[in-house]
Amino acid sequence: MSSIIDGKQLAETIKEEIAAEVKILKEQGHKIPHLAAVLVGANPASQVYVRNKVRSCEQVGFESTLIRKDDSITEEELLEIIHELNTDEDVDGFIVQLPLPNHINEENITLAIDPKKDVDGFHPMNFGRMAQGLPSYLPATPFGIMQMLDRYNIETEGKTCVVIGRSNIVGTPISILLSRKAKPGNATVILCHSRTKNLQEYTLKADIIVAAIGRANFVTADMVKEGAVIIDVGINRVDDATRKRGYRLAGDVDYAGVEAKSSMITPVPGGVGPMTVTSLLMNTLKACKGEVYS
Ligand code: L34
């Protein structure tokens, strides 16, 4: 039987801590953290995520700016907005919500963001600094997972961690963070992906599994060792006619089956997702205080 790693609850606790810091900044007459988000198009999931980010800014007392643009925006126009945000002295950090429409090259956009304001931690400058253990903005989802492991006192040192999925924003960076000489960290990390043969051989050895594949219910009970810790990064929309919205959310882990075997598990929703949002707030606070680049 598993206990739940309650990301929603932990996110609320961290937001209270951030709000207390913002209050002090205010009282001392300092500038208040200001996050800007650029949302292109009308991807339903992106709209939910960005709304959660803006709402969380309000909750902790940050200033926020939401810039919404139509799908038809050109890459040049988007680069111009980025240039303006790079030079806007009031904006401490900003993000461009992904995915972007196909006619826009995401790499060009990521490279155009000033690393000092890149609170997503996606710019190669921040990614490289992270990989070398230098001060940097950690990408929000991996940072959120590290916070969960830390606050729930989940031992990672000497443990076998299997990460499934090698994306630039989750799988690859979390594998680096877990293997770093740090706490949490010091784990033996196995990074599995679509070309991995006999995946189950690896997952059955795992003390900790991080599932970031993007396929509903991909990790099943027969792949999990008794007592393993399960971090489910997936947020998949599955058709469900019994729901008013017509879908329900499912993680990359078959929660109902796995929950009986694992020792701790993150739910979906209410797990990693809310922690992604608070990590972004933490990075923005760091940006405002000049803690990463001074
Ligand atoms: N630039 N693009 C950029 N930065 C990011 O950090 C993201 N990500 C991912 C997608 N694209 C991005 C997010 O914001 C994923 N992500 C994200 C953010 C918030 C939530 C999930 C993913 C979230 O709030 N999840 C809630 C509710 C989910 C729902 O109702 O649909 C949860 O409980 O999981």
Side-chain angles (χ1 to χ4, degrees):
M1 264 307 286
S2 219
S3 65
I4 286 178
I5 304 174
D6 189 341
K8 191 166 184 211
Q9 174 63 52
L10 180 54
E12 290 305 318
T13 302
I14 293 174
K15 281 191 274 191
E16 282 168 22
E17 293 169 9
I18 295 172
E21 272 210 53
V22 172
K23 190 161 169 276
I24 292 169
L25 285 177
K26 243 185 219 177
E27 283 165 4
Q28 294 177 340
H30 287 119
K31 179 186 177 307
I32 289 165
H34 182 174
L35 172 69
V38 183
L39 175 58
V40 178
N43 179 306
S46 295
Q47 297 193 57
V48 173
Y49 303 159
V50 170
R51 196 192 313 133
N52 288 351
K53 290 173 183 182
V54 171
R55 195 183 293 152
S56 295
C57 280
E58 287 164 9
Q59 226 182 323
V60 300
F62 284 10
E63 226 181 288
S64 67
T65 301
L66 173 57
I67 300 172
R68 292 199 66 152
K69 291 289 163 189
D70 198 80
D71 253 334
S72 62
I73 189 171
T74 66
E75 189 169 309
E76 290 66 35
E77 286 165 339
L78 187 54
L79 288 170
E80 182 53 37
I81 291 170
I82 290 170
H83 178 69
E84 280 164 21
L85 291 168
N86 280 340
T87 47
D88 184 336
E89 291 200 356
D90 197 66
V91 171
D92 298 293
F94 68 95
I95 66 155
V96 179
Q97 188 71 17
L98 302 179
L100 290 168
N102 285 332
H103 65 274
I104 297 175
N105 182 324
E106 286 181 359
E107 192 186 319
N108 291 345
I109 300 306
T110 304
L111 285 170
I113 297 173
D114 181 345
K116 293 186 181 62
K117 293 194 175 191
D118 170 37
V119 285
D120 257 338
F122 291 173
H123 191 286
M125 171 79 92
N126 283 310
F127 194 98
R129 289 173 68 114
M130 172 202 68
Q132 297 193 352
L134 299 170
S136 71
Y137 299 113
L138 299 182
T141 301
F143 189 14
I145 295 169
M146 296 303 275
Q147 288 282 317
M148 285 177 141
L149 295 171
D150 187 29
R151 301 272 188 134
Y152 273 84
N153 283 313
I154 296 165
E155 184 62 78
T156 55
E157 181 164 329
K159 301 293 182 188
T160 300
C161 294
V162 168
V163 176
I164 318 175
R166 57 181 157 183
S167 72
N168 284 338
I169 70 173
V170 184
T172 299
I174 192 66
S175 69
I176 292 169
L177 290 173
L178 286 168
S179 60
R180 268 195 334 191
K181 190 167 189 166
K183 192 175 183 338
N186 283 322
T188 304
V189 177
I190 303 171
L191 180 51
C192 299
H193 46 74
S194 54
R195 306 294 170 90
T196 298
K197 289 183 179 152
N198 305 321
L199 176 63
Q200 188 185 28
E201 263 179 41
Y202 300 103
T203 58
L204 279 173
K205 288 194 168 62
D207 302 305
I208 301 172
I209 295 177
V210 179
I213 310 119
R215 280 167 64 177
N217 306 320
F218 180 85
V219 175
T220 46
D222 58 313
M223 298 167 72
V224 174
K225 182 172 82 171
E226 194 75 43
V229 173
I230 309 292
I231 308 292
D232 189 352
V233 182
I235 305 184
N236 307 289
R237 291 181 173 210
V238 178
D239 290 341
D240 186 343
T242 70
R243 303 289 175 104
K244 201 167 58 192
R245 294 183 295 190
Y247 69 88
R248 66 190 149 81
L249 295 178
D252 288 350
V253 176
D254 173 27
Y255 188 95
V258 167
E259 184 251 0
K261 261 184 149 179
S262 56
S263 61
M264 302 185 93
I265 186 165
T266 64
V268 177
V272 173
M275 294 300 296
T276 296
V277 178
T278 47
S279 299
L280 178 64
L281 300 179
M282 289 174 73
N283 280 344
T284 305
L285 182 61
K286 283 185 186 171
C288 180
K289 290 162 77 174
E291 278 177 10
V292 175
Y293 296 90
S294 36

